[in-house]
Amino acid sequence: MNHENMVIGMEVGKGFTAIVCTLNSSASQYYSVVVRNENGDGENCIQRRGEAINNALLIYQEVNKGRPKNLTVYRSGQNAMSPIQIQKEANDFIEYLNDEDLKVTYITVQKRTIVKLMHVTDWSSGDLKNPPAGTVIDHQVTSPQWQDFYLIPMNQTLGTVSPTHFTIVRDQGGYEPDQIQQMAYHLTHMYYNWTGNVKVPAVSQYCQKLLDLTVNHLNKEPSTALSKTLFYL
């Protein structure tokens, strides 16, 4: 992964937003924080999320002796289904950061889709099997309005594998489609609490765990003293 790229997971749930950011190029150190959604998904939410990201940028700078040039945001959770809504959110987020030297790539992540992908092993007999891990589909079944793709993140031998859907809402980083697809797949290997791949980039999976702890058990923002640890695993 690019050493000047910070990867951010952002998941919105009931009353809270979980944010997990990488602090190094190997995606092995993380900064985790939860902010309360006081007024839905309005201006106040963008401000609080922006403040959390700015804090993460300061810590990133301390660790790496410099700021990242790119932010790659994987957005999931409530309201992540509408690219138009997320596009406004991404624009507001970029405007709040107000840093021309910081290029933001904003991507929605959807684990549950109605799309099923099968690999035809023998056209004459019609034999089918699940596509192998790392398979990407970025045409035919994708949206004509948005740059999106489906990723098979893991091998599955039982049942029918469900792909993960990614929509690239903003790309100031100027990445090639292959680069974004490969980064998403590589990040599915980086989740500490599982020996294999997970369905989403590790930062998104961490966000899900952090949000579950906050909403279902704490019902308040965790202590910031724990922000450099994966205390929610």
Side-chain angles (χ1 to χ4, degrees):
M1 191 170 66
N2 190 331
H3 70 284
E4 296 179 327
N5 181 34
M6 174 189 277
V7 180
I8 300 170
M10 185 183 301
E11 179 152 344
V12 180
K14 295 180 180 179
F16 297 93
T17 298
I19 299 171
V20 178
C21 311
T22 60
L23 294 178
N24 61 356
S25 60
S26 59
S28 60
Q29 297 179 31
Y30 296 90
Y31 174 83
S32 307
V33 66
V34 174
V35 297
R36 188 180 293 272
N37 303 331
E38 295 181 352
N39 297 310
D41 271 353
E43 183 177 345
N44 183 266
C45 289
I46 294 297
Q47 179 179 345
R48 299 205 69 194
R49 294 171 193 169
E51 290 171 352
I53 299 301
N54 280 331
N55 288 336
L57 287 170
L58 290 175
I59 297 174
Y60 182 99
Q61 187 169 359
E62 292 176 5
V63 172
N64 299 278
K65 311 305 179 185
R67 287 169 62 87
K69 293 184 178 179
N70 301 286
L71 297 184
T72 302
V73 181
Y74 291 99
R75 166 69 157 85
S76 55
Q78 289 182 350
N79 298 329
M81 301 298 180
S82 169
I84 294 177
Q85 288 180 331
I86 300 301
Q87 187 175 53
K88 181 181 184 307
E89 177 186 285
N91 292 338
D92 291 344
F93 176 77
I94 294 169
E95 183 178 349
Y96 178 83
L97 291 178
N98 192 28
D99 187 343
E100 294 182 356
D101 296 327
L102 199 59
K103 305 304 181 185
V104 178
T105 300
Y106 216 87
I107 304 169
T108 64
V109 183
Q110 186 180 355
K111 287 200 298 186
R112 297 176 179 85
T113 69
I114 62 172
V115 174
K116 297 293 184 182
L117 303 176
M118 300 299 296
H119 177 213
V120 180
T121 56
D122 187 338
W123 285 100
S124 60
S125 63
D127 286 343
L128 303 173
K129 69 176 183 179
N130 285 318
T135 299
V136 169
I137 301 295
D138 58 5
H139 60 282
Q140 300 297 326
V141 297
T142 52
S143 170
Q145 288 87 27
W146 301 94
Q147 185 181 354
D148 62 333
F149 63 94
Y150 291 91
L151 168 68
I152 302 294
M154 63 187 71
N155 291 313
Q156 184 166 322
T157 55
L158 298 176
T160 305
V161 66
S162 295
T164 304
H165 186 214
F166 296 83
T167 301
I168 304 166
V169 180
R170 285 292 301 271
D171 180 23
Q172 293 182 322
Y175 292 108
E176 294 293 330
D178 286 353
Q179 292 177 298
I180 292 179
Q181 294 161 8
Q182 289 170 11
M183 186 192 306
Y185 178 57
H186 291 166
L187 288 169
T188 64
H189 295 73
M190 299 302 298
Y191 183 62
Y192 280 133
N193 217 26
W194 186 249
T195 56
N197 310 34
V198 291
K199 282 208 65 173
V200 293
V203 287
S204 298
Q205 188 71 16
Y206 290 134
C207 281
Q208 181 183 330
K209 289 289 187 179
L210 179 55
L211 193 63
D212 177 71
L213 174 67
T214 302
V215 172
N216 297 321
H217 302 282
L218 299 179
N219 199 29
K220 64 178 182 179
E221 299 171 5
S223 171
T224 54
L226 301 171
S227 62
K228 291 185 181 179
T229 67
L230 298 173
F231 64 92
Y232 40 85
L233 295 184

